[in-house]
């Protein structure tokens, strides 16, 4: 099925370990986003990309890095995980142009626990 | 800058009763507005959106919302709720020319049998 796929779905990390979350979309969307969801705080934007090879910071970028080497993939990296990064991470993508419906398509999330 | 306020963090409603989930936004430019639903342990699904035109927007599962520019509100309504509507609901705003979607903190809707 077309959409946004996130891997892995669950992960437990030890403090100081590193990992990469992968987001892949097959809808040829230009824009891609990484959000984190924490109880009572809604979704907060970490980083986003408006096209292949470009990235920008969102509201809460500290401790994360991203890369968009291919249009369909958007990677989120944690270089040295901290307990404060325990969260559910969502990737989203969006089409552009006059015919786009401006809606975002979300992945099913990655639940990350840092111990 | 843009922001969204969902004043009610939890709303309990009896089955088959009507419900309104409140959303107020702030933006220095014109906006696009969205409501998303998140069922337990799932991602977000678009319920409805306001882009332009008619201020009353109808979405999936019998939900509707009304854009009120003077009150900067976009409240979500359903005339009769079902157990299956139990979920968390997020209001979101994106200002014209802004690439970022800003979410509210969510409202957890609980349906009482």
């Amino acid at each position: 099925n077309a959409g946004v796929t996130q891997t892995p779905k669950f992960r437990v990390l030890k403090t100081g370990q590193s990992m990469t979350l992968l987001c892949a979309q097959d809808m040829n969307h230009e824009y891609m986003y990484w959000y984190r969801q924490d109880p009572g705080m809604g979704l907060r934007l970490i980083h986003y990309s408006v096209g292949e090879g470009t990235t920008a910071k969102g509201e809460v970028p500290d401790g994360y890095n991203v890369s968009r080497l291919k249009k369909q993939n958007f990677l989120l990296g944690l270089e040295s995980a901290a307990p404060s990064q325990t969260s559910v991470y969502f990737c989203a993508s969006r089409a552009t142009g006059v015919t786009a419906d401006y809606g975002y398509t979300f992945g099913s999330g990655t639940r990350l626990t840092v111990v | 800058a843009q922001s969204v306020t969902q004043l009610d963090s939890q709303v309990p409603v009896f089955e088959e009763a009507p419900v309104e989930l409140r959303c107020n936004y702030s933006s220095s430019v014109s906006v696009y507005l969205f409501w998303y639903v998140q069922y337990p342990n799932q991602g977000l699904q678009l319920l409805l959106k306001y882009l332009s035109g008619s201020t009353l927007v109808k979405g999936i599962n019998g939900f509707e919302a009304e854009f009120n520019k003077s009150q900067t509100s976009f409240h979500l309504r359903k005339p009769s709720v079902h157990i299956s509507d139990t979920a968390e609901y997020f209001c979101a705003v994106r200002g014209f020319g802004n690439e970022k979607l800003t979410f509210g903190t969510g409202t957890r809707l609980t349906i009482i049998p």
Side-chain angles (χ1 to χ4, degrees):
Chain A
N1 291 336
V4 177
T5 303
Q6 292 183 232
T7 53
K9 295 191 182 308
F10 303 92
R11 185 73 185 269
V12 178
L13 282 181
K14 293 183 178 179
T15 298
Q17 286 185 320
S18 64
M19 78 163 293
T20 301
L21 281 65
L22 171 64
C23 176
Q25 52 97 2
D26 58 4
M27 299 169 286
N28 202 36
H29 285 173
E30 286 293 332
Y31 294 179
M32 296 187 75
Y33 305 82
W34 275 108
Y35 287 88
R36 60 177 288 173
Q37 182 181 23
D38 303 291
M41 303 189 76
L43 279 80
R44 294 179 292 169
L45 183 63
I46 305 171
H47 286 281
Y48 65 103
S49 168
V50 300
E52 182 179 320
T54 70
T55 62
K57 294 180 180 180
E59 297 175 70
V60 289
D62 293 343
Y64 305 95
N65 56 76
V66 288
S67 64
R68 184 110 182 259
L69 299 180
K70 293 183 178 181
K71 185 177 183 179
Q72 63 268 35
N73 295 337
F74 194 29
L75 306 179
L76 178 70
L78 286 72
E79 291 185 345
S80 179
S84 61
Q85 293 177 304
T86 294
S87 187
V88 181
Y89 293 85
F90 286 100
C91 178
S93 69
R94 178 171 76 85
T96 60
V98 295
T99 58
D101 66 0
Y102 305 99
Y104 288 55
T105 301
F106 281 84
S108 57
T110 296
R111 187 174 297 273
L112 176 66
T113 302
V114 182
V115 297
Chain B
Q2 59 192 32
S3 66
V4 177
T5 302
Q6 292 182 249
L7 290 172
D8 306 307
S9 59
Q10 296 187 64
V11 174
V13 180
F14 285 104
E15 193 173 12
E16 298 184 5
V19 68
E20 178 180 83
L21 305 184
R22 297 181 293 168
C23 172
N24 288 90
Y25 69 92
S26 173
S27 174
S28 56
V29 299
S30 297
V31 296
Y32 303 118
L33 292 158
F34 306 83
W35 274 99
Y36 284 85
V37 59
Q38 184 180 33
Y39 298 105
N41 299 313
Q42 294 188 27
L44 277 74
Q45 179 182 359
L46 182 66
L47 262 183
L48 49 79
K49 59 184 181 282
Y50 171 78
L51 304 181
S52 65
S54 172
T55 57
L56 183 63
V57 178
K58 293 189 183 298
I60 62 172
N61 301 339
F63 284 93
E64 64 181 31
E66 186 157 19
F67 171 55
N68 187 319
K69 188 175 181 179
S70 63
Q71 297 189 2
T72 61
S73 67
F74 191 54
H75 301 331
L76 181 70
R77 301 185 182 99
K78 185 170 183 178
S80 176
V81 296
H82 303 283
I83 291 288
S84 59
D85 294 322
T86 296
E88 190 151 21
Y89 293 79
F90 292 95
C91 182
V93 64
R94 185 166 71 85
F96 284 14
N98 191 334
E99 300 310 330
K100 295 173 280 187
L101 187 64
T102 300
F103 286 86
T105 52
T107 298
R108 187 171 300 276
L109 178 62
T110 302
I111 309 302
I112 305 165

